[in-house]
C-alpha cells in the first residue's frame, strides 16, 4: 500500500432515513474500501470464514469480514499477522476488515459457556453464574482480565492496552474497545459496576489507540469503536451510550460505536433504539452477534448500521439452510431425491450448480464439501437479505418489504435441527 493509500480517511456519511429518525442507509469509508450500509459483515474468526475461501466470500457479495483478536492473539500471534502486512494481506482479503476486541471471550471463558448464551433473564440473578460442569477460565479485575487459553491452558493477561496493541498489529480497518460483557443472569448491581468499568477501560483504549496510531504512522488509520453495554436496563444503556459519545482522551474520540452485551431477543429492537437515541448521527453503529432475519429487521429499523454473526456458517455445518420460506435441514428424507436447488431463484454458487439431493448425500457421507456448499448459500442468503433491506429503505418501502418478507419466512419456517443461537457475540 502506498503512502497515499495509507492516508485514506475513515468516515461515515448517513443517507436515507426512516420516518422514526433511527433506521438509515449510509456509507462507511475505510482505507480498504467503502461499505454500503446497512451491511452484514461475514465472520472469519481465525482469519478464515470456516469451510470457504476468501475469494468465495467476495463472490457471494460480502463487503467486509470480521476476525477475533483473542483467537488470533493465541494463534498464530498478532505479531506474525503484522509482519505479513495485516489481516487482509494475511488472509488474502482485499476489502475492509473488522476485529472484535476479545471482550466476549472474557465473559464466555468466565462463565463456561462455549458458544451460546441463554438470552432469557426471567427469574434469574446470580453474579457467580457458571455453566454446569465447567471451569472458570477468566477472572476480571479493575485492570483487566486473567484467563487460561482454551487451547493449552497457558495463563494470559488482557488489558485495554494489550487489546489495542493486538488489534493494531492485526491491522483491521475497524477495531473495538476492550469491554466486559455480562450475562442477563448478573444482578443489577453488578451490571452497574460493569458499565462503569467498561467506560474506564474505554478511556484507556482511546489513550492507547492514540499512542499506537502515532507510533505506527506509516500504517493506514484504524478506526476505533466504543462498545455500549448495560444489558436489558434502559437507564444503563442510555448512560453508557452518552458516556462513550462524550468521551475524549488526548484529542481522540471514538470513530463509531458497537452495541454489545446480552440482549433479550424480544427486546432487541427496543434496546438498539435506546442506544441509537444517545449516539451521534454522523458515526456508524455496529450490532455485535446478530443475523436471524427478524433480528436484522428489528435492528435496522432502530438504528443499527452493520452486523456480524457466526450463525450462517455454524448452522450450515449442521446441515441447516435458510430460504425465503424458512429454515430447513438438508439431512431430512425430503431432500434425498430432490433434484432442485436449496432455494428456487437463489443466485448463489451452490444453488446454481448443485441439488438438494447432492448436498443430502454429502452430509450423509460426512464429506467436507457439504459444509462448503451450505455455508456459501447461507452467507449469500444473509448478505443478500441485508442488501435488499438497504434497497427497500432507500426506496421508501422498508415497512412493506419487512411485512412481505417476514410473513413469508415465518409462515414457511420448518424444523431445522439445532436451534439458532440467540443474539450475543460469537466465540468460535
Amino acid at each position: 500500500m502506498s503512502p497515499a493509500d495509507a492516508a485514506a480517511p475513515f468516515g461515515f456519511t448517513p443517507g436515507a432515513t426512516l420516518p422514526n429518525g433511527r433506521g438509515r442507509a449510509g456509507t462507511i469509508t475505510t482505507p480498504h474500501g467503502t461499505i454500503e450500509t446497512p451491511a452484514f459483515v461475514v465472520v472469519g474468526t481465525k482469519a478464515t470464514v470456516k469451510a470457504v475461501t476468501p475469494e468465495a466470500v467476495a463472490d457471494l457479495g460480502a463487503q467486509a469480514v470480521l476476525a477475533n483478536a483473542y483467537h488470533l492473539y493465541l494463534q498464530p500471534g498478532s505479531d506474525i499477522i503484522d509482519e505479513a502486512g495485516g489481516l487482509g494481506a494475511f488472509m488474502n482479503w482485499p476489502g475492509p476488515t473488522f476485529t472484535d476486541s476479545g471482550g466476549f471471550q472474557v465473559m464466555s471463558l468466565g462463565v463456561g459457556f462455549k458458544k451460546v448464551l441463554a438470552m432469557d433473564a426471567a427469574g434469574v440473578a446470580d453474579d457467580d453464574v457458571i455453566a454446569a460442569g465447567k471451569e472458570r477460565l477468566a477472572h476480571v479485575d479493575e485492570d483487566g482480565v486473567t484467563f487460561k487459553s482454551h487451547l493449552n491452558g497457558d495463563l494470559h493477561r488482557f488489558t485495554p492496552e494489550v487489546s489495542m496493541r493486538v488489534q493494531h498489529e492485526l491491522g483491521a480497518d475497524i477495531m473495538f474497545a476492550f469491554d466486559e460483557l455480562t450475562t442477563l443472569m448478573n444482578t443489577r448491581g453488578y451490571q452497574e459496576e460493569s458499565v462503569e468499568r467498561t467506560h474506564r477501560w474505554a478511556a484507556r483504549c482511546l489513550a492507547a489507540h492514540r499512542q499506537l496510531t502515532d507510533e505506527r504512522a506509516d500504517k493506514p488509520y484504524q478506526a476505533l469503536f466504543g462498545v455500549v453495554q448495560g444489558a436489558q436496563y434502559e437507564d444503563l444503556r442510555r448512560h453508557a451510550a452518552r458516556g462513550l459519545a462524550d468521551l475524549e482522551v488526548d484529542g481522540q474520540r471514538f470513530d463509531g460505536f458497537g452495541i454489545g452485551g446480552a440482549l433479550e431477543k424480544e427486546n432487541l429492537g427496543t434496546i438498539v433504539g435506546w442506544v441509537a437515541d444517545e449516539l451521534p448521527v454522523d458515526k456508524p453503529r455496529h450490532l455485535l452477534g446478530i443475523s436471524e432475519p427478524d433480528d436484522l429487521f428489528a435492528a435496522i429499523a432502530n438504528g443499527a448500521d452493520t452486523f456480524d454473526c457466526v450463525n450462517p456458517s455454524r448452522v450450515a455445518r449442521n446441515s441447516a439452510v435458510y430460504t425465503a420460506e424458512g429454515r430447513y435441514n438438508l439431512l431430512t428424507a425430503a431432500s434425498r431425491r430432490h433434484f432442485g436447488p436449496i432455494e428456487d431463484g437463489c443466485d448463489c454458487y451452490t444453488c446454481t450448480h448443485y441439488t438438494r439431493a447432492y448436498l443430502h448425500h454429502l452430509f450423509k457421507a460426512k464429506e467436507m464439501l457439504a459444509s462448503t456448499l451450505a455455508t456459501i448459500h447461507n452467507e449469500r442468503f444473509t448478505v443478500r437479505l441485508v442488501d435488499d433491506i438497504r434497497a427497500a429503505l432507500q426506496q421508501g418501502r422498508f415497512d412493506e418489504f419487512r411485512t412481505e418478507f417476514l410473513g413469508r419466512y415465518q409462515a414457511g419456517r420448518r424444523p431445522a435441527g439445532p436451534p439458532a443461537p440467540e443474539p450475543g457475540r460469537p466465540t468460535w
Side-chain angles (χ1 to χ4, degrees):
M1 176 170 290
S2 70
D5 291 332
F10 175 88
F12 174 69
T13 304
T17 303
L18 293 177
N20 66 8
R22 290 173 173 169
R24 75 269 182 92
T27 303
I28 297 173
T29 303
T30 81
H32 292 94
T34 60
I35 303 170
E36 298 300 319
T37 68
F40 179 69
V41 179
V42 175
V43 175
T45 300
K46 300 177 183 179
T48 177
V49 180
K50 288 187 183 299
V52 299
T53 66
E55 291 80 7
V57 175
D59 288 344
L60 62 84
Q63 299 185 71
V65 297
L66 178 146
N68 184 270
Y70 162 81
H71 287 286
L72 294 178
Y73 158 80
L74 291 178
Q75 188 180 68
S78 56
D79 59 322
I80 291 176
I81 294 177
D82 191 21
E83 188 175 340
L87 176 63
F90 186 60
M91 65 181 290
N92 194 33
W93 172 259
T97 52
F98 292 58
T99 47
D100 193 2
S101 71
F104 181 85
Q105 283 67 38
V106 170
M107 183 279 302
S108 63
L109 291 170
V111 301
F113 290 98
K114 184 178 179 182
K115 295 180 179 178
V116 181
L117 292 178
M119 293 298 157
D120 181 2
V124 178
D126 185 359
D127 288 335
D128 199 37
V129 60
I130 189 165
K134 297 294 183 179
E135 175 190 2
R136 190 177 299 280
L137 297 179
H139 297 269
V140 179
D141 57 53
E142 176 60 28
D143 184 58
V145 181
T146 301
F147 64 91
K148 290 183 180 178
S149 165
H150 70 283
L151 297 176
N152 58 16
D154 285 352
L155 203 62
H156 297 273
R157 179 75 172 165
F158 251 45
T159 64
E161 292 78 13
V162 169
S163 179
M164 287 295 93
R165 176 180 59 78
V166 168
Q167 291 189 77
H168 268 267
E169 289 180 344
L170 294 176
D173 294 295
I174 295 174
M175 312 177 294
F176 289 89
F178 192 57
D179 61 315
E180 182 189 7
L181 172 64
T182 59
T183 75
L184 292 175
M185 297 181 232
N186 289 110
T187 62
R188 163 71 192 222
Y190 191 87
Q191 302 284 9
E192 293 174 357
E193 294 174 8
S194 179
V195 164
E196 295 307 320
R197 177 161 43 243
T198 289
H199 183 88
R200 292 190 291 272
W201 286 1
R204 289 166 58 186
C205 284
L206 282 173
H209 176 49
R210 166 58 68 190
Q211 180 179 344
L212 288 164
T213 299
D214 291 342
E215 291 175 1
R216 298 166 60 89
D218 59 322
K219 305 288 185 180
Y221 179 72
Q222 297 173 253
L224 178 60
F225 285 24
V227 181
V228 179
Q229 296 290 353
Q232 68 270 42
Y233 300 103
E234 179 176 4
D235 60 328
L236 293 185
R237 286 283 182 177
R238 291 184 181 275
H239 170 71
R242 286 194 299 268
L244 294 177
D246 293 340
L247 189 59
E248 181 176 346
V249 178
D250 298 332
Q252 182 74 52
R253 303 176 74 94
F254 287 118
D255 300 290
F257 301 90
I259 304 172
L263 302 172
E264 293 175 303
K265 185 179 179 73
E266 63 270 23
N267 293 326
L268 184 149
T270 300
I271 293 171
V272 171
W274 295 338
V275 174
D277 286 346
E278 305 296 338
L279 294 177
V281 297
D282 61 347
K283 293 188 177 181
R285 311 158 188 152
H286 181 90
L287 182 57
L288 292 142
I290 298 299
S291 69
E292 288 297 295
D294 49 348
D295 297 330
L296 291 170
F297 280 99
I300 290 170
N302 286 282
D305 299 306
T306 54
F307 324 83
D308 72 273
C309 193
V310 298
N311 202 48
S313 59
R314 177 181 295 156
V315 302
R317 297 193 298 276
N318 290 316
S319 71
V321 289
Y322 292 96
T323 76
E325 295 182 351
R327 280 175 54 194
Y328 68 90
N329 199 308
L330 288 164
L331 275 173
T332 62
S335 293
R336 188 179 181 189
R337 286 185 167 87
H338 193 294
F339 299 108
I342 292 174
E343 180 179 20
D344 290 335
C346 177
D347 61 358
C348 80
Y349 173 82
T350 301
C351 285
T352 56
H353 290 79
Y354 300 97
T355 66
R356 283 172 56 179
Y358 182 60
L359 270 80
H360 174 87
H361 157 67
L362 293 177
F363 276 109
K364 281 287 188 181
K366 302 187 185 304
E367 289 289 342
M368 290 184 288
L369 183 58
S371 294
T372 297
L373 296 179
T375 298
I376 287 172
H377 172 78
N378 279 357
E379 296 288 6
R380 174 58 184 155
F381 173 89
T382 308
V383 167
R384 184 176 59 236
L385 173 58
V386 178
D387 288 348
D388 289 345
I389 294 173
R390 180 174 67 251
L393 195 159
Q394 292 170 330
Q395 295 162 8
R397 52 184 301 271
F398 174 85
D399 290 339
E400 178 185 347
F401 179 65
R402 173 173 56 183
T403 300
E404 173 188 320
F405 180 89
L406 290 180
R408 183 181 177 191
Y409 182 83
Q410 293 168 349
R413 184 176 289 168
R414 289 161 277 188
E422 297 292 348
R425 281 195 236 174
T427 65
W428 234 242

